[in-house]
Amino acid sequence: MSKRIAITILLSLIGLTLLLTPLQAKRSQDIYYQDQVAVLMYHHIHDKDTSSSTITTALFEQQLQTLLSKGYHFISLNEFKQYMAGATVPSNAVLVTFDDGYQSFYKAAYPILKSLRIPAVNFVITNDLANPMGSYIPSMSKEQVSEMTHATNFIDIGCHTNNLHHKLPDGKAALVGRLDAESDDAYQQRVLTDTQACVGKLAGLTDAPLDAMAYPYGITTPAATELIQKAGIRYAFTISPEMATRSADPLLIPRINAGSPGITPELLNRSIQRRIVAQPGSAPLRVDATAAA
């Protein structure tokens, strides 16, 4: 009897080993990159509105679910800041960002992010907070922003300027262009005042530091970057479609667009993997065969 029991236990252990081996192998294949972050950019999540920067709630959720299933790890803005300061991040790290502070973030994106426990940061145009329904696309209210940041520890906000998200008559972005006959001193004061106003209007809507910004249209100049830094911004995001590494200028952080209607979950996966930065001296990582092809 004892011999029969021993054989049964042995066969069970062998079966368990055979079951775990392919699972462990799959986990090792899921390491696409290390010590870098794919910062994703979104704008508007809506099921009726259409534009080159609007995607449906279904596509947004499919993108996130696919990345989760493939072994990507989502991090918060605070974890990203710590990474830029020298801390480690999980392999296949991803940071989700939104621009403009649209109300669709609160109504469509936030419920999905909350259900999946995925962190995100929204860069808000604070001039719209006073009259959320007055903008072309409805914006979030102060109450909605405050609710999200205080009800969770993974939804953050940042600046997208106070009132410089528009083009000047000459076609240049208001953050970098000059008004008619505007002097250097007047330009500097305009950008400094606007950035300080953005930070001031967000104060109280979050308990986290307000030192992050996304450039309107992704456009900046050395002069504009220096001015927002003087106003207290330490991390600023562009639309340069690259991976974010610790060696990047924290005021020129790249982002990969994920918020266009033609970006399927598989296309987003391939888009990230095409931009992986080879780390000097690092061991070769196993890459998803489909993405590599």
Side-chain angles (χ1 to χ4, degrees):
M1 178 65 73
S2 60
K3 183 177 181 181
R4 189 174 301 171
I5 293 174
I7 293 173
T8 302
I9 293 174
L10 179 60
L11 290 174
S12 299
L13 290 173
I14 292 173
L16 183 60
T17 301
L18 292 174
L19 177 64
L20 290 177
T21 300
L23 293 177
Q24 292 170 348
K26 186 180 188 307
R27 278 198 294 269
S28 66
Q29 291 173 352
D30 283 341
I31 300 177
Y32 310 130
Y33 56 86
Q34 293 175 317
D35 202 33
Q36 53 193 288
V37 181
V39 184
L40 304 184
M41 177 179 65
Y42 293 93
H43 289 81
H44 192 28
I45 309 294
H46 205 275
D47 291 336
K48 293 183 179 179
D49 294 352
T50 58
S51 76
S52 61
S53 58
T54 302
I55 63 173
T56 64
T57 52
L59 179 55
F60 179 60
E61 185 168 12
Q62 288 164 9
Q63 286 181 347
L64 299 182
Q65 290 279 20
T66 297
L67 294 183
L68 283 171
S69 70
K70 289 183 176 295
Y72 288 88
H73 296 94
F74 292 89
I75 65 173
S76 67
L77 177 61
N78 184 54
E79 289 173 307
F80 179 79
K81 293 176 182 179
Q82 292 175 349
Y83 160 73
M84 293 297 286
T88 60
V89 287
S91 58
N92 312 332
V94 176
L95 172 63
V96 174
T97 72
F98 278 75
D99 286 1
D100 301 323
Y102 293 141
Q103 194 175 95
S104 63
F105 178 80
Y106 175 78
K107 290 187 174 181
Y110 175 51
I112 295 171
L113 294 166
K114 187 165 59 172
S115 68
L116 297 176
R117 298 290 298 178
I118 290 178
V121 54
N122 197 309
F123 297 106
V124 179
I125 303 171
T126 52
N127 193 54
D128 294 333
L129 289 172
N131 183 19
M133 302 305 293
S135 53
Y136 176 70
I137 298 176
S139 300
M140 291 186 290
S141 66
K142 294 179 181 179
E143 292 76 18
Q144 290 169 336
V145 172
S146 181
E147 176 190 331
M148 291 185 297
T149 60
H150 289 101
T152 71
N153 60 355
F154 54 86
I155 299 296
D156 289 291
I157 53 173
C159 279
H160 204 34
T161 75
N162 176 56
N163 193 24
L164 294 182
H165 196 299
H166 60 272
K167 296 289 184 69
L168 299 178
D170 62 3
K172 291 184 179 180
L175 178 67
V176 301
R178 301 296 180 94
L179 302 174
D180 290 341
E182 186 176 41
S183 66
D184 288 346
D185 287 344
Y187 166 74
Q188 292 171 10
Q189 190 59 47
R190 175 165 63 88
V191 174
L192 280 170
T193 300
D194 183 272
T195 307
Q196 290 166 346
C198 186
V199 172
K201 289 182 179 181
L202 292 177
L205 302 183
T206 179
D207 296 327
L210 290 166
D211 55 3
M213 174 178 174
Y215 296 108
Y217 314 106
I219 300 172
T220 189
T221 61
T225 296
E226 182 179 355
L227 289 169
I228 66 163
Q229 185 178 30
K230 285 183 179 179
I233 300 299
R234 298 179 57 198
Y235 307 90
F237 294 79
T238 70
I239 57 172
S240 177
E242 305 294 338
M243 298 290 280
T245 63
R246 197 177 288 110
S247 61
D249 185 336
L251 291 167
L252 297 171
I253 300 166
R255 291 188 292 175
I256 298 170
N257 182 34
S260 292
I263 301 178
T264 65
E266 284 302 327
L267 182 58
L268 177 56
N269 177 45
R270 293 197 296 271
S271 181
I272 294 172
Q273 297 204 18
R274 282 200 305 270
R275 292 169 170 83
I276 294 172
V277 178
Q279 300 289 349
S282 62
L285 301 176
R286 297 186 181 185
V287 178
D288 181 271
T290 302

